[in-house]
Amino acid sequence: MKKSNTIYFLFIFFLTYSLGVVLRLWELPLWNAPHLHVSGEPIMATHDAYAWLAGAIGTGNHYNAPMSTILSLLHNITGINVATINFWLPVIVAPLVCLPIIFICQLFGIIEASLVAGTIASLGTGYFLRTRMGYGDTDILTIFLPLAYCAGLIYWLKPFINNWRRKDYEFTLILKQHLLKGSIFTGFILLFYNWFYPNAYPIVMYTYIFTIFLSFLLTPKKIFINLLPGFIIILIIGFGELIGLLLASIFVYLTYTETNNNKKTLFNLVFLSCALGLLFYHKHWGAILSLIDPILNYAKIFPFLEVKKYSIKLPQVLASIREAQNVSLTMLIQRVGQNPYIFFPGLIGFVLACTRFPLLLIFLPQLGLSILSFKLGNRFTMYGPPIIGLGLSLGLTFILEKIKIKPLILYLLLTCFVIYPTINLVKILKPTPVLPQVYAKSFLEIDKIANPKAQLWQWWDYGYAAQYYAKRKSFGDGGRHNGPYLYPLALAHTTSSPLQAAQIIKFTAQDQQEQITEMQQNGTNPSNPGAKILYWPIDPVRKLNLMGATKAQTFIDSLKEKTLNFSANIPEQYFVLSWENLNLSYWISYFGNWNLITGQGVHGGFKRLKGKIDLNLSKGLVSFSGKTLPMIKLLIIKKDGTSIEKSWLHSKGLYIIYNEYLPQVIAMDKTIYNSMMVQMLLNNPNKFKPHFTLVLDKFPWVRVYKVN
C-alpha cells in the first residue's frame, strides 16, 4: 500500500471509528449516578455480561470461555477490575466493525464508500443497541468477525473473480503466492472466529459452501481446480487448531511444490478427508445437523425426526426470551437499516453493486439471516446493517458515473445523513442496568452468609449475576434455562405451598448431588474444569423422567402435603426472591403451572396499571383506564418499611399491590398473588417456617431464605 493510500485508509478509519465511539459515549454522564454502581463497579447492562465476569474470576460456568479469558488477561495486564473493563469494552471494540468494511471497499477500489458503509455498520440500530456501554457481551465481535472472514474470502478470490465474465489466467508466481497467502490469511481469521464464537458455525459454513459454489460459477475449470487447495487450507486451519496448523503446513508444501497433477489431486482428496475428519472431531454429528436443523425447524419439515429425550413433557423457554421473539416488518427495517430511506436504497444498492462486484454475494447468508429475523428473533437483525451500508455506498458508484461531484464530498454528506437517526436515538437512551443496586448488594451479602458449596435458587435471568457477586453456584442461568432447569425453578416460585417449594428444591438438589458423586467416581469431567466453583453436566429432572409423566405429575402434586426425608449431605440451598421477578411473573407462572403429562402451562394474570388510578378502600374498588373493577385483596407497601393488607368479600376481582416507594400499582390474579415469589417477598417471613428461614431481608426489594 502506498503512503498516500495508507494515510487515506487511516483517515477514513479514524473518522468512522470515532463516530462509533462518540455516539456510544453519549449516555456516559447518565451512568455517573451512584445507584448504577456497586462496590465501585458499574452494574452491567446485559445479563450475559455477568457470565463472562463470573467466568473471569472462576466462579461461573464459563470459566476459560474466550470472553472470560480476554477479561482475565486484560485485568492481569491493567490491574483494572473485570467489571469496569467489561463496561467499557463495547465502546472501544464494537466500532472496530468499520475496519473490515474499509478493507473491502479498498479492494474494490472505492475506499471513499467505506465512510458510509463503515458508519452504518457501526451505528446500525440492531448492532448499536447491543453494543452500548455496559453491554460487555460477545456481540462486540460477533459482527466484526464474520465481516473479517468475508473480507478474507474476497481478498483471496478477487484476483480471479472481478466481474460476471469468466476470465482465464496464466498462473504467474505472484498469483500462486496470492493463492497461498490469501487462503492462509482467511484460515487464521476463521480459526479466531471459531475460537471466540463457536455458535457461529452454521453461518460460517453456509458462507463457506456458498463461496465454493460462487467460485465454481464464476471461474473457468482450470482456475477453480487451483482454488480448491485454498478452500481446503481454510477449512484445515479454521477448524483444526494445532493439528490443523501442522496439517496445513504439510499440505501447503506438498501441493505447491508438486508438479504432477495426479499427485496434486491425491493430496487434495487426502487432506480434504483430514479437514472433514477434524470438523467431525470437533463438532461430531453437529457438523451436519447444525446446518440442516435450522432449515427443517424453520420450514417445519419432518417433525417426526425430533427425538424425545424425556418421558415427561417439559416447557421451552424460547418464547419468553425477548431477543428470540419475532420482530415486525417496521422494527426489522429500523433495526437493519435505521429507517426506510436507508433500508430500501441499501437493498437496491446491494443488488446493483453485485452486478459489478459479484463477490459481494458472499454476504448473502448474513443478509438472509437478518431479513429472516422476523421469524428467527430480534438479535439476528444486527447482521444486516453492514450489508445495507455496503449496498448503499457501493451502489452509489452507478450515480457517480453520471455526475461530476467529487466522491469524497458526496460520501461525507451521506455520512452526515446516515448518522442522524442514531443521534436522535441516543438522545432518548438511558442506562439500562439489568438488576437494581439493592439486588446486586444482596448477592454480595450472600457471599458473607452462605457456605462456599451453597447453591442459589434465584430466577435464571439473574443466575450469572449471582455467580459473580455472591460467588456461589446458581441453579439456572442464561445458559441453563431449558426445560429441565426451567420447570423445577418456576415451580418453586409459582406454587402457593411453602412445603412444595422447599421439597422440590431439596428433591432436585439431592438428585444433583447424587449425579455429581457418580460423575466424580466414573471420571466424568465438570463443565468448567479448573474453576473455583465446578459445574457438572447433570440432568435436574433425571428422577422425574424415570418415573414417567403420570407418576411424575402425581409425585409433584403430592409434595404439597406429603413430607419426604432427604439426605443430610445436600449442600445448603438458598431461595432468592426479588421485586424484579414480579415483572416476569406472567412467564414464571406459566412455566410453574406446567403439566408434565399434557405439556401445557397456564399463564397467571399480571398487569402494571398506568395513568390515573383511584383506590376506593370502603367499597374495595379500583378505577383505571376508564373502568372500575372489584378488588379481592390490596397490599400497600409503605415508605416506612411496613405493609398493610386489606380484603373484600367479592366473588371475583383483582389482587392489587401498591408500592409507595416507586410509586407503582400492579394488578394480578390469585395464582400470582398467592405464589411464593409474591408471598415470601412481601408477607410475614414467619409464615414460611419450618420450611424456610429468612437470612437476608431487604423488604420489599429482595429477600433470601435458607431452605431447612
Side-chain angles (χ1 to χ4, degrees), residues 279-311:
L279 188 61
F280 273 86
Y281 173 76
H282 289 293
K283 300 289 183 180
H284 306 293
W285 283 108
I288 296 175
L289 296 178
S290 295
L291 302 179
I292 298 175
D293 282 349
I295 299 173
L296 295 180
N297 292 338
Y298 177 70
K300 297 179 176 61
I301 300 173
F302 306 133
F304 54 83
L305 289 178
E306 183 180 352
V307 178
K308 292 184 178 180
K309 180 181 177 181
Y310 293 100
S311 63

Side-chain angles (χ1 to χ4, degrees), residues 3-28:
K3 184 177 180 181
S4 58
N5 290 340
T6 302
I7 294 173
Y8 208 18
F9 187 101
L10 292 175
F11 165 72
I12 293 175
F13 170 70
F14 173 78
L15 188 59
T16 51
Y17 178 78
S18 298
L19 283 171
V21 171
V22 169
L23 288 174
R24 282 175 173 81
L25 287 172
W26 197 292
E27 58 184 307
L28 177 60

Side-chain angles (χ1 to χ4, degrees), residues 239-485:
F239 289 97
E241 299 178 354
L242 291 176
I243 296 175
L245 294 177
L246 177 62
L247 284 174
S249 301
I250 298 172
F251 181 53
V252 166
Y253 176 76
L254 292 176
T255 302
Y256 289 95
T257 58
E258 182 58 56
T259 57
N260 187 305
N261 288 333
N262 290 332
K263 287 187 176 180
K264 282 187 175 183
T265 302
L266 178 63
F267 295 153
N268 283 346
L269 291 174
V270 170
F271 283 92
L272 177 60
S273 299
C274 291
L276 294 175
L278 288 170
L279 188 61
F280 273 86
Y281 173 76
H282 289 293
K283 300 289 183 180
H284 306 293
W285 283 108
I288 296 175
L289 296 178
S290 295
L291 302 179
I292 298 175
D293 282 349
I295 299 173
L296 295 180
N297 292 338
Y298 177 70
K300 297 179 176 61
I301 300 173
F302 306 133
F304 54 83
L305 289 178
E306 183 180 352
V307 178
K308 292 184 178 180
K309 180 181 177 181
Y310 293 100
S311 63
I312 56 178
K313 294 183 179 179
L314 295 166
Q316 295 296 321
V317 74
L318 200 61
S320 67
I321 301 176
R322 185 177 301 173
E323 69 174 27
Q325 293 174 355
N326 299 345
V327 298
S328 65
L329 178 61
T330 301
M331 182 178 289
L332 187 150
I333 291 171
Q334 181 189 33
R335 293 295 177 96
V336 175
Q338 298 177 310
N339 59 43
Y341 308 106
I342 296 174
F343 178 79
F344 289 109
L347 278 182
I348 295 170
F350 182 75
V351 174
L352 292 174
C354 286
T355 63
R356 174 162 297 186
F357 310 114
L359 279 174
L360 284 174
L361 291 171
I362 287 173
F363 288 105
L364 273 182
Q366 291 180 55
L367 180 61
L369 199 63
S370 64
I371 298 299
L372 289 175
S373 59
F374 73 87
K375 190 70 176 179
L376 300 176
N378 178 39
R379 77 181 310 271
F380 292 103
T381 58
M382 66 179 176
Y383 283 92
I387 294 92
I388 294 297
L390 283 170
L392 185 65
S393 54
L394 293 178
L396 273 178
T397 55
F398 293 88
I399 298 175
L400 292 175
E401 291 175 350
K402 306 297 181 182
I403 60 178
K404 296 181 179 180
I405 188 171
K406 290 185 177 181
L408 182 59
I409 296 175
L410 180 64
Y411 285 118
L412 283 170
L413 292 173
L414 192 56
T415 300
C416 294
F417 171 74
V418 299
I419 66 172
Y420 184 72
T422 307
I423 292 174
N424 286 336
L425 176 65
V426 296
K427 286 179 179 178
I428 61 174
L429 288 179
K430 296 180 180 179
T432 55
V434 295
L435 74 169
Q437 185 187 61
V438 64
Y439 202 177
K441 286 184 175 180
S442 298
F443 282 132
L444 289 174
E445 292 188 41
I446 292 174
D447 183 24
K448 302 174 183 177
I449 297 171
N451 184 285
K453 294 184 178 180
Q455 180 169 248
L456 308 183
W457 287 65
Q458 76 303 303
W459 188 241
W460 68 262
D461 287 289
Y462 304 97
Y464 290 139
Q467 294 165 19
Y468 177 66
Y469 288 121
K471 299 179 178 64
R472 296 296 184 276
K473 183 183 291 187
S474 68
F475 183 85
D477 55 39
R480 296 176 304 132
H481 56 7
N482 53 350
Y485 288 94

Side-chain angles (χ1 to χ4, degrees), residues 308-314 484 507 511 539-553 596:
K308 292 184 178 180
K309 180 181 177 181
Y310 293 100
S311 63
I312 56 178
K313 294 183 179 179
L314 295 166
F507 175 78
D511 193 13
D539 181 355
V541 294
R542 182 184 67 166
K543 286 186 175 180
L544 291 177
N545 190 45
L546 291 173
M547 295 178 191
T550 302
K551 289 184 179 180
Q553 188 62 57
L596 298 173

